[in-house]
Amino acid sequence: MIYGLASPAGRLAQTFPRRYEDTPSALTFPGDSREVIYGEDIFVGYRYYDKRGIEPAYPFGYGLGYTKFRIETEKTDFTIQAQEDARISIPIRIQNIGNYAGSEVIQVYAGQKNPHIKKPVRELVGFVKVYLKPGETKEAEILIRGDALRQYDPAHGGWCIDPGEYTLYIGRSSRDFFAQASLHVEGRSIYGIGTHTTINEIARLDFAVACLKEIIPDFEDRLPAFLRDFDGESLGEVYASVMDEYYINSIQGLRKIEEACRKMNEIYMNSL
């Protein structure tokens, strides 16, 4: 590697902070009375820096080499079933535009919009390593399995995949992204349906649209505008924005939406 006969291809498996005070253990280590509190919770490693919005010195997945690459991916939306063995593939086209042979690691991270429980901003769900000679171009695929989207919910005592809207971040590290894509996870939610449900999911459920028409008469007509203006946001957020147009009394409006959600959830849960 010193003479350029081989190109470095390693990637960081941890985050390097700019200073010790930025680390999640700065306030709790070494502890008191021979006790150490591990306060990171689920925000371990790069998840902590993303959650706090702290810029690291070198992010998780970072790495350098002697050559350069041009990477392209299709700008499309993806759908996956909320099942552990479900899978999708993200096509990648990569070209070595440098003067040395080398390899690149393309990484995909997923972040859920409006999760039902505490979750990281995004997590690594797939990657692929591609080796190319100078001037060579290859097609590759990044496989994402349903079980990569699982979360552990203590309230339900197990792992689950939460249906809804996700964003896929495609890049070279946990902070360096060159493309994004939408991912819809399709399936039944153990959390039911209510004000926490995204407007995108509501639009897919005919009975939900029918229930909401009872309190917002022109809901079906306004649905395309709602999807455009509130993409990925919850029904509660949408309703809070338009409630004043239908109800002078906000308490009355809140009761109406809660009543509609109870009705929708009853239909939804009975269909499981």
Side-chain angles (χ1 to χ4, degrees):
M1 292 188 184
I2 295 177
Y3 293 100
L5 301 177
S7 178
R11 296 296 181 269
L12 291 181
Q14 62 280 319
T15 300
F16 280 75
R18 291 184 179 275
R19 55 179 191 158
Y20 174 71
E21 289 77 10
D22 291 339
T23 65
S25 61
L27 297 177
T28 58
F29 186 82
D32 298 312
S33 302
R34 302 181 68 180
E35 291 186 358
V36 178
I37 298 175
Y38 287 83
E40 297 98 324
D41 196 33
I42 62 171
F43 301 104
V44 178
Y46 67 88
R47 302 168 186 82
Y48 171 82
Y49 294 88
D50 288 346
K51 185 67 175 179
R52 293 289 305 276
I54 298 173
E55 188 67 29
Y58 300 101
F60 174 85
Y62 174 85
L64 295 175
Y66 294 148
T67 190
K68 296 181 180 180
F69 301 92
R70 178 183 294 119
I71 308 172
E72 299 175 349
T73 184
E74 296 180 13
K75 294 184 177 180
T76 185
D77 297 336
F78 299 90
T79 299
I80 190 173
Q81 296 298 314
Q83 300 171 359
E84 292 187 8
D85 59 351
R87 60 185 61 194
I88 61 170
S89 294
I90 300 178
I92 296 290
R93 180 182 175 86
I94 179 169
Q95 181 183 13
N96 185 341
I97 58 175
N99 298 320
Y100 296 89
S103 59
E104 179 67 292
V105 181
I106 303 100
Q107 306 158 40
V108 179
Y109 297 77
Q112 184 180 7
K113 300 178 182 179
N114 296 300
H116 294 100
I117 64 173
K118 179 170 55 179
K119 296 180 72 173
V121 176
R122 50 184 166 262
E123 291 186 278
L124 181 69
V125 294
F127 65 91
V128 66
K129 186 173 185 177
V130 184
Y131 177 85
L132 300 103
K133 298 176 182 179
E136 185 178 10
T137 299
K138 286 185 179 179
E139 307 282 344
E141 290 186 341
I142 303 175
L143 177 66
I144 299 176
R145 290 173 49 92
D147 56 8
L149 302 171
R150 293 189 310 167
Q151 61 195 25
Y152 186 82
D153 187 348
H156 288 83
W159 293 88
C160 64
I161 301 174
D162 191 9
E165 306 304 318
Y166 292 69
T167 299
L168 296 176
Y169 303 86
I170 308 168
R172 300 178 179 87
S173 76
S174 64
R175 287 297 178 93
D176 180 12
F177 305 113
F178 55 79
Q180 292 186 18
S182 295
L183 172 65
H184 173 63
V185 179
E186 198 170 66
R188 296 293 183 181
S189 173
I190 63 173
Y191 302 103
I193 188 171
T195 54
H196 59 268
T197 307
T198 65
I199 188 65
N200 310 69
E201 188 64 24
I202 291 292
R204 297 184 180 94
L205 303 172
D206 293 338
F207 69 85
V209 174
C211 289
L212 289 171
K213 283 177 64 177
E214 297 179 8
I215 57 173
I216 303 180
D218 58 349
F219 180 81
E220 193 168 12
D221 295 332
R222 297 186 65 177
L223 190 54
F226 288 155
L227 290 171
R228 181 189 67 240
D229 299 336
F230 300 97
D231 181 36
E233 296 190 23
S234 68
L235 174 62
E237 292 171 313
V238 176
Y239 193 64
S241 299
V242 302
M243 186 169 58
D244 292 343
E245 300 178 30
Y246 299 92
Y247 299 96
I248 297 177
N249 187 317
S250 59
I251 299 299
Q252 180 189 23
L254 181 60
R255 288 173 178 170
K256 288 287 186 180
I257 189 65
E258 289 178 345
E259 180 182 338
C261 286
R262 280 195 295 270
K263 183 177 180 180
M264 286 189 293
N265 191 56
E266 182 179 351
I267 297 172
Y268 183 81
M269 299 306 286
N270 287 337
S271 67
L272 294 178

